[in-house]
Amino acid sequence: MAGIKRKEAPSKVAKDVKKQKTVETKKSKLDLAAEQTDDEFGGFDDEPEEKSTSTAKPNNNISSDPKKFKLESSSAEAHAKQRQQARERKAGKPNADAIARSKKIWERLRRKSHVPAAERKELVTELFEIITGRVRDFVFKHDSVRVIQCALKYADKTQRRIIVDELRSDVRALAESRYGKFLVAKMVVEGDQAVRDIIVPEFYGHVKRLMNHPEAGWIVDDIYRQIASPRQKAVMLREWYGTEFALANRDGKLSADETTSDLKIILEENPEKRRPILDFLHQIINSFLQKKLTAFTMLHDGMLQYFLALEPNSEPHTAFLDLMKADIETKVEAKDSNDASGGGDLFRNLAFTKSGSRLVCLALAYGSAKDRKIILRCFKDTVQLMAFDQYAKMVLVTGLDVPDDTKMSGKAIVSELAAQSVVGSEEMRLNTFESVAISLTARVPLLYPLAGATKWLINEQDKTILEEVHAIRATTSKKDPELRRKGLLEYLAPPVLALVTQRASNLVKTSFGCQVITETLLEAHSEGTAEARNAAKQAVAELAQGDPNEEGHVALDASAGRMLKTLVLGGAFDATTKTTKMSEPRLGFADALYPIIKDRLVEWACSPSSFVVVSLLESEDVDRSVKVEVREALKKAKKAVQKAADGEAVEGDAKGKKDTLINAQA
């Protein structure tokens, strides 16, 4: 090691010199910071004055090193100097006193629960005395704009109109402001229809530009979705069809008859403009998709209008579907990929709007088997959320009703609806599944394979979409609808039968739950589910135990009574043929119910659910010996039944039910 020189340790003097230089460097930086100014201090309330050092309590933590103590003192002085400069700078600004006082009032008003109504009224009056005539001086600053928002919140109709009239010419500038956009939202939310009719037209002629603005885009789209009237929406969307439409809106030359946004109608009236309008709209749509700005409702409306205006199966039609699918990352097409969470934001956003959900349904209907598989994978982690949405639920229904691969749709949709992927205990899974089953919205995709497009399940608007999808499916699908339904039941029947078996007492408490029980027992059957069906049937029949006149009994509930009647009949009533459509294989519910209500048959006949007894006499699914026993029991209790009929005649159809029983005794 002789060739390597050893580095000598620094001497004590060298260490002291180095330490002194470090302290001087720190001091110079602090002195420089003390001389600098920062406009951000102007946005906050004045800091309290520094306490005198002569009256301050001794700090035992202060270093005994005089150099370090001097450094800390210098830092405190620098901050005090900065605060003083901020106060002076703020006091020198225009309307400084008015803004300061209005902020004090705002601080008081925003604590709503701590301010009495009389005091609030006085504060609002004082606030309007300050801001009237100079609202524009407040709205473009991040702190004082909150004062105007507060004034709008607590103002009366006349006071709100004062603010709106002063800001009418600044609405677009406010929408583009980082802080002013919230004031625009406050004006349309707190204002009446007259105020909204002032604000919304201010965007006419500038919609395309504002929608591309990073700040204004969201507020304009929110107003379009939630505030604008149908006519105002049409006027705003028309600006996506070409510059001439925007100019017509800006100049106010649009008549009441020209406010349709239906692109097919516009193109029929102006066939020579078809190519320019479609190219202009496609350019805007493509721009938003490339920027990944796919959550705008106006974009979804524009995409649907463009798609409907194209000739089905034409080259532009196919190209647009490919453009939509391009948003999905290519990894979902890999053979070993089971996760589509990285792509498909467009489809997930489309599913939750009215126009967007219809567009996704049409894309599924027109798509190939591979396209449908890719699209449905986008919704892997959002099926439960979609089921509870009024628009997204139809995407799930279409996802069940269109693909020929029922194994894929069963795993992608049915298993998620049945909460089979819920992490946790069996109790948690059943709670989640039950919430889906009894929800007005979420039950639609769950019960659709069982009940079909029945009137009580599918409303007219959704039925129109289904009819449109079915017309397309006839040309793009090869599988028979009944075979598709049976394939889905293989995935749906086991979980719903288990739900009815374990939660029958909960489901019977609501009318929706009773419908779930009815459709499950009548329609949820597939290979290997006979035992589970019998268990569910027995669980429901046991609900009838006890005195039918006792409070809380199922016989006193109208929904439960209709459920038991339908199950005893063995099928639902078909209004077209005026007959009962029997379930196959036969349910045989009377075999489970009759032994339970046999000893209280007359009490059931005199209860609000007397039609359950009538169904025992009329059903094709009831054994003849049971009918004989029921008839004999009713003959012995003819007076009791007659008395019940006379006593309940005022209840509408109650008399008719009892008369049916009396006639059955003959």
Side-chain angles (χ1 to χ4, degrees):
M1 297 299 177
I4 300 177
K5 286 189 178 182
R6 257 182 127 146
K7 189 173 181 181
E8 296 183 0
S11 64
K12 185 177 180 181
V13 175
K15 287 182 179 180
D16 292 342
V17 172
K18 185 176 181 181
K19 185 176 181 181
Q20 179 66 23
K21 288 182 177 180
T22 303
V23 172
E24 291 176 355
T25 303
K26 290 181 179 179
K27 289 174 66 177
S28 63
K29 290 181 179 180
L30 288 170
D31 292 339
L32 180 61
E35 297 175 1
Q36 293 177 345
T37 59
D38 187 354
D39 288 340
E40 290 184 357
F41 285 95
F44 300 90
D45 292 335
D46 295 339
E47 297 289 339
E49 295 292 338
E50 292 293 321
K51 293 183 179 180
S52 174
T53 54
S54 60
T55 60
K57 294 182 179 180
N59 187 354
N60 296 327
N61 295 325
I62 295 179
S63 174
S64 58
D65 187 349
K67 294 181 179 179
K68 188 173 183 181
F69 178 74
K70 185 176 180 181
L71 181 63
E72 293 173 352
S73 300
S74 176
S75 176
E77 292 172 359
H79 285 299
K81 186 177 180 181
Q82 284 181 329
R83 285 191 290 270
Q84 179 61 29
Q85 290 176 342
R87 285 192 291 271
E88 293 174 356
R89 185 168 56 252
K90 188 162 54 175
K93 291 181 178 180
N95 302 313
D97 294 339
I99 292 176
R101 176 55 188 159
S102 64
K103 286 167 64 177
K104 295 292 185 183
I105 297 175
W106 168 70
E107 284 287 350
R108 181 65 178 157
L109 283 174
R110 72 190 185 96
R111 302 181 66 193
K112 182 177 180 181
S113 60
H114 296 74
V115 183
E119 182 184 353
R120 185 185 304 117
K121 187 175 181 180
E122 293 178 1
L123 290 173
V124 171
T125 301
E126 182 182 355
L127 182 58
F128 269 88
E129 290 176 356
I130 296 173
I131 65 175
T132 300
R134 45 184 175 182
V135 176
R136 295 185 74 258
D137 298 333
F138 285 75
V139 295
F140 291 101
K141 299 175 182 178
H142 74 93
D143 53 352
S144 58
V145 70
R146 297 180 183 180
V147 175
I148 307 302
Q149 292 181 41
C150 182
L152 282 168
K153 181 177 181 180
Y154 294 110
D156 57 31
K157 185 176 180 180
T158 304
Q159 291 171 329
R160 288 195 185 104
R161 189 60 182 267
I162 292 173
I163 295 177
V164 172
D165 288 340
E166 286 195 40
L167 297 177
R168 178 184 297 206
S169 60
D170 297 303
V171 169
R172 291 192 300 275
L174 286 170
E176 296 174 356
S177 170
R178 182 178 179 184
Y179 305 105
K181 63 182 179 183
F182 299 110
L183 178 60
V184 177
K186 200 73 172 179
M187 285 193 288
V188 294
V189 170
E190 298 291 346
D192 55 12
Q193 190 58 45
V195 170
R196 295 172 181 177
D197 290 341
I198 293 174
I199 300 298
V200 176
E202 291 297 321
F203 300 125
Y204 291 173
H206 307 273
V207 173
K208 179 176 176 291
R209 178 181 64 83
L210 291 174
M211 286 296 296
N212 281 281
H213 193 276
E215 302 293 345
W218 295 104
I219 191 65
V220 172
D221 190 69
D222 286 343
I223 291 174
Y224 173 83
R225 181 178 68 253
Q226 300 179 8
I227 303 298
S229 65
R231 182 184 184 280
Q232 290 170 338
K233 286 184 178 181
V235 172
M236 295 174 73
L237 185 60
R238 283 169 64 95
E239 295 191 22
W240 285 37
Y241 300 161
T243 306
E244 62 180 289
F245 294 93
L247 293 175
N249 292 350
R250 187 184 305 176
D251 299 337
K253 297 179 180 179
L254 198 63
S255 65
D257 298 333
E258 297 177 316
T259 54
T260 178
S261 60
D262 191 326
L263 189 55
K264 290 184 71 174
I265 295 177
I266 295 175
L267 295 179
E268 288 174 0
E269 295 175 352
N270 304 276
E272 72 282 358
K273 298 180 181 178
R274 179 180 180 86
R275 182 65 180 272
I277 290 176
L278 290 177
D279 289 347
F280 191 88
L281 180 56
H282 184 275
Q283 182 182 4
I284 295 177
I285 293 172
N286 187 53
S287 174
F288 278 94
L289 297 187
Q290 297 303 321
K291 296 175 182 177
K292 304 297 181 182
L293 299 175
T294 59
F296 290 130
T297 303
M298 193 180 298
L299 171 65
H300 301 171
D301 289 350
M303 292 178 69
L304 178 64
Q305 291 299 325
Y306 180 84
F307 189 75
L308 294 176
L310 300 175
E311 187 69 25
N313 300 318
S314 63
E315 185 176 347
H317 188 270
T318 305
F320 188 71
L321 289 174
D322 292 338
L323 177 64
M324 292 174 61
K325 290 182 293 183
D327 178 73
I328 306 174
E329 290 187 352
T330 55
K331 72 173 185 176
V332 301
E333 300 182 39
K335 292 181 180 180
D336 59 344
S337 174
N338 293 317
D339 182 18
S341 59
D345 286 343
L346 172 62
F347 283 95
R348 284 191 286 269
N349 287 326
L350 284 169
F352 290 91
T353 63
K354 183 178 180 180
S355 297
S357 64
R358 183 183 174 191
L359 180 58
V360 176
C361 291
L362 294 176
L364 286 169
Y366 279 112
S368 63
K370 183 179 179 181
D371 295 337
R372 293 164 181 166
K373 185 176 182 179
I374 292 174
I375 293 172
L376 289 179
R377 280 187 175 183
C378 296
F379 308 122
K380 179 181 179 182
D381 299 324
T382 57
V383 170
Q384 287 274 342
L385 185 63
M386 292 169 66
F388 286 93
D389 185 80
Q390 61 175 327
Y391 302 123
K393 72 177 187 298
M394 290 308 300
V395 175
L396 299 180
V397 171
T398 305
L400 295 171
D401 213 21
V402 169
D404 294 342
D405 187 356
T406 54
K407 181 178 180 180
M408 180 270 297
S409 56
K411 289 183 177 180
I413 299 176
V414 175
S415 298
E416 292 294 323
L417 290 173
Q420 293 183 351
S421 62
V422 172
V423 179
S425 63
E426 179 67 9
E427 185 74 12
M428 292 176 59
R429 190 191 71 80
L430 287 174
N431 288 340
T432 304
F433 192 11
E434 184 181 338
S435 67
V436 172
I438 63 176
S439 168
L440 174 64
T441 303
R443 68 179 184 150
V444 173
L446 179 67
L447 298 182
Y448 180 75
L450 300 175
T454 54
K455 186 176 181 180
W456 58 266
L457 185 64
I458 304 291
N459 59 41
E460 290 300 322
Q461 180 180 341
D462 294 339
K463 193 173 182 180
T464 302
I465 296 176
L466 274 181
E467 291 173 352
E468 187 177 16
V469 168
H470 288 168
I472 300 169
R473 185 185 66 179
T475 62
T476 60
S477 178
K478 300 177 181 178
K479 198 164 192 174
D480 181 72
E482 185 60 24
L483 289 178
R484 182 184 292 104
R485 176 179 172 274
K486 290 181 179 179
L488 291 173
L489 289 180
E490 294 181 5
Y491 293 90
L492 181 59
V496 292
L497 287 171
L499 176 68
V500 170
T501 303
Q502 300 180 53
R503 294 295 179 91
S505 58
N506 288 352
L507 294 173
V508 79
K509 294 177 182 178
T510 64
S511 61
F512 291 167
C514 290
Q515 288 175 331
V516 171
I517 293 175
T518 302
E519 295 302 326
T520 298
L521 291 181
L522 293 178
E523 303 295 340
H525 47 79
S526 61
E527 186 177 353
T529 59
E531 185 176 347
R533 192 188 190 196
N534 289 331
K537 178 175 64 176
Q538 189 62 37
V540 175
E542 290 176 357
L543 297 174
Q545 290 180 343
D547 185 357
N549 296 315
E550 184 180 352
E551 184 178 357
H553 196 274
V554 293
L556 302 179
D557 184 79
S559 300
R562 287 193 298 269
M563 173 194 74
L564 294 175
K565 182 198 73 171
T566 304
L567 293 177
V568 171
L569 289 173
F573 180 76
D574 189 348
T576 305
T577 61
K578 305 296 181 181
T579 58
T580 300
K581 184 181 178 182
M582 303 300 293
S583 174
E584 296 294 342
R586 295 296 178 92
L587 178 60
F589 184 73
D591 297 339
L593 179 66
Y594 181 67
I596 295 175
I597 68 172
K598 179 179 180 180
D599 296 336
R600 296 181 179 273
L601 192 63
V602 176
E603 295 170 85
W604 272 86
C606 298
S607 73
S609 297
S610 57
F611 260 135
V612 175
V613 181
V614 175
S615 62
L616 286 172
L617 297 170
E618 297 179 346
S619 175
E620 301 176 12
D621 202 25
V622 178
D623 189 81
R624 184 176 180 80
S625 61
V626 173
K627 292 183 179 181
V628 172
E629 290 183 18
V630 172
R631 186 174 288 106
E632 290 298 326
L634 293 177
K635 284 182 178 180
K636 295 178 182 179
K638 183 175 181 179
K639 291 184 178 180
V641 176
Q642 182 65 55
K643 183 179 179 180
D646 295 339
E648 296 182 5
V650 294
E651 297 185 10
D653 67 336
K655 185 177 186 300
K657 293 188 287 185
K658 302 304 183 296
D659 289 344
T660 303
L661 290 172
I662 294 170
N663 294 333
Q665 297 169 1

Coordinates of all heavy atoms in Angstrom, one line a residue, residues 468 574 602:
E468 N -85.1 -1.9 -31.7 CA -84.0 -1.5 -32.6 C -82.9 -2.4 -32.7 O -82.4 -2.8 -33.7 CB -83.6 0.0 -32.3 CG -82.6 0.6 -33.3 CD -82.2 2.0 -32.9 OE1 -82.4 2.4 -31.7 OE2 -81.7 2.7 -33.8
D574 N -101.4 -14.8 -19.3 CA -101.1 -14.2 -20.6 C -102.3 -13.4 -21.1 O -103.4 -14.0 -21.4 CB -100.8 -15.3 -21.6 CG -100.3 -14.8 -22.9 OD1 -100.4 -13.5 -23.1 OD2 -99.7 -15.6 -23.7
V602 N -109.9 -21.7 5.9 CA -111.0 -20.8 6.0 C -110.6 -19.4 6.3 O -111.1 -18.4 5.7 CB -112.1 -21.3 7.0 CG1 -113.2 -20.3 7.1 CG2 -112.6 -22.7 6.6

